[in-house]
Amino acid sequence: AQSVTQLDSHVSVSEGTPVLLRCNYSSSYSPSLFWYVQHPNKGLQLLLKYTSAATLVKGINGFEAEFKKSETSFHLTKPSAHMSDAAEYFCVVSVGTGGFKTIFGAGTRLFVKA
Amino acid sequence: EAQVTQNPRYLITVTGKKLTVTCSQNMNHEYMSWYRQDPGLGLRQIYYSMNVEVTDKGDVPEGYKVSRKEKRNFPLILESPSPNQTSLYFCASSTEARAQGTGELFFGEGSRLTVL
């Protein structure tokens, strides 16, 4: 069975400090992993994705994530938070075999303080 | 501009009154899908379609219907809405890479539905 756990429902950081949003997954198959961001009253937008190439994945707006198979983790990081990063972030696992099972984490809301 | 368009964006209705939420994409994507978003639950898949005339149930299909008569459109139908279907709904589309699980999902801006 496949599952996704986002370990924090809320994360609060100060502007200019690092961001860490944690995600653990469970999958019987080799997964594809994604991070999406949702700004208020908007749809979701892809930040980055891992699809079995390089384990360190760079995305938009300075975000990156590292796929660690031994830890079944795919944590999202950014060296320096900006006010515009305040949003909800979703970790998503997609199972490739037969191909279309997509599971979303419950989301992590990021607050950025001035 | 590449986009997924949902209508209506906001709707308040009453129990039992049939409604349809439309979804249209202009990217010639084969894969389309509907999700509902509820606090603390993330997004849950309602139905998806791998291509025209091919639809399948997601994780929470009860109370919903879909059709895929044309590639660009994928309407969500609530035949007899109930208050537990009050939610934020998202339509998404993706390329054929979705079949391998690697395709990016492109989302509409959401439709907020309230059933009284």
Side-chain angles (χ1 to χ4, degrees):
Chain A
Q2 290 68 235
S3 65
V4 179
T5 303
Q6 292 184 241
L7 298 168
D8 306 290
S9 60
H10 299 85
V11 170
S12 182
V13 301
S14 297
E15 192 174 23
T17 64
V19 176
L20 170 63
L21 305 183
R22 299 181 294 166
C23 173
N24 287 120
Y25 71 92
S26 171
S27 177
S28 305
Y29 305 98
S30 296
S32 294
L33 295 159
F34 306 77
W35 277 99
Y36 286 84
V37 60
Q38 183 182 29
H39 290 279
N41 300 314
K42 294 290 186 184
L44 282 72
Q45 178 188 15
L46 181 69
L47 272 180
L48 50 80
K49 70 176 181 180
Y50 166 78
T51 57
S52 77
T55 56
L56 182 61
V57 182
K58 294 189 184 299
I60 61 172
N61 300 334
F63 284 94
E64 62 181 40
E66 186 171 8
F67 173 68
K68 292 186 176 181
K69 186 175 181 179
S70 60
E71 299 177 10
T72 60
S73 69
F74 191 57
H75 301 334
L76 182 70
T77 60
K78 183 174 181 178
S80 176
H82 191 273
M83 295 296 289
S84 62
D85 294 328
E88 187 148 25
Y89 293 79
F90 292 94
C91 182
V92 180
V93 63
S94 188
V95 178
T97 303
F100 36 71
K101 186 68 175 176
T102 302
I103 301 170
F104 286 75
T108 298
R109 184 163 294 279
L110 176 65
F111 297 94
V112 182
K113 298 175 288 187
Chain B
E1 180 189 356
Q3 60 185 4
V4 178
T5 304
Q6 299 178 225
N7 279 297
R9 293 287 313 281
Y10 301 90
L11 179 63
I12 300 174
T13 189
V14 296
T15 299
K17 186 176 181 182
K18 180 180 178 179
L19 67 92
T20 299
V21 186
T22 64
C23 174
S24 180
Q25 51 94 3
N26 62 1
M27 295 169 279
N28 202 36
H29 285 165
E30 294 184 346
Y31 179 94
M32 297 186 73
S33 183
W34 276 101
Y35 301 87
R36 60 177 289 172
Q37 182 180 17
D38 301 290
L41 296 177
L43 275 72
R44 293 178 292 168
Q45 191 175 47
I46 303 171
Y47 270 94
Y48 64 93
S49 170
M50 297 295 286
N51 213 327
V52 175
E53 301 293 358
V54 179
T55 64
D56 219 334
K57 296 178 180 178
D59 296 315
V60 288
E62 294 78 20
Y64 304 95
K65 286 175 58 178
V66 293
S67 68
R68 188 90 182 275
K69 294 183 171 59
E70 306 165 277
K71 197 172 189 178
R72 64 182 292 127
N73 296 323
F74 190 46
L76 179 70
I77 303 157
L78 285 72
E79 292 272 3
S80 182
S82 62
N84 64 12
Q85 293 179 297
T86 292
S87 188
L88 178 59
Y89 292 85
F90 286 100
C91 179
S93 70
S94 186
T95 65
E96 64 275 10
R98 198 72 208 146
Q100 285 74 46
T102 59
E104 173 185 354
L105 287 164
F106 294 84
F107 286 87
E109 294 205 324
S111 296
R112 186 168 292 282
L113 170 65
T114 301
V115 183
L116 302 176

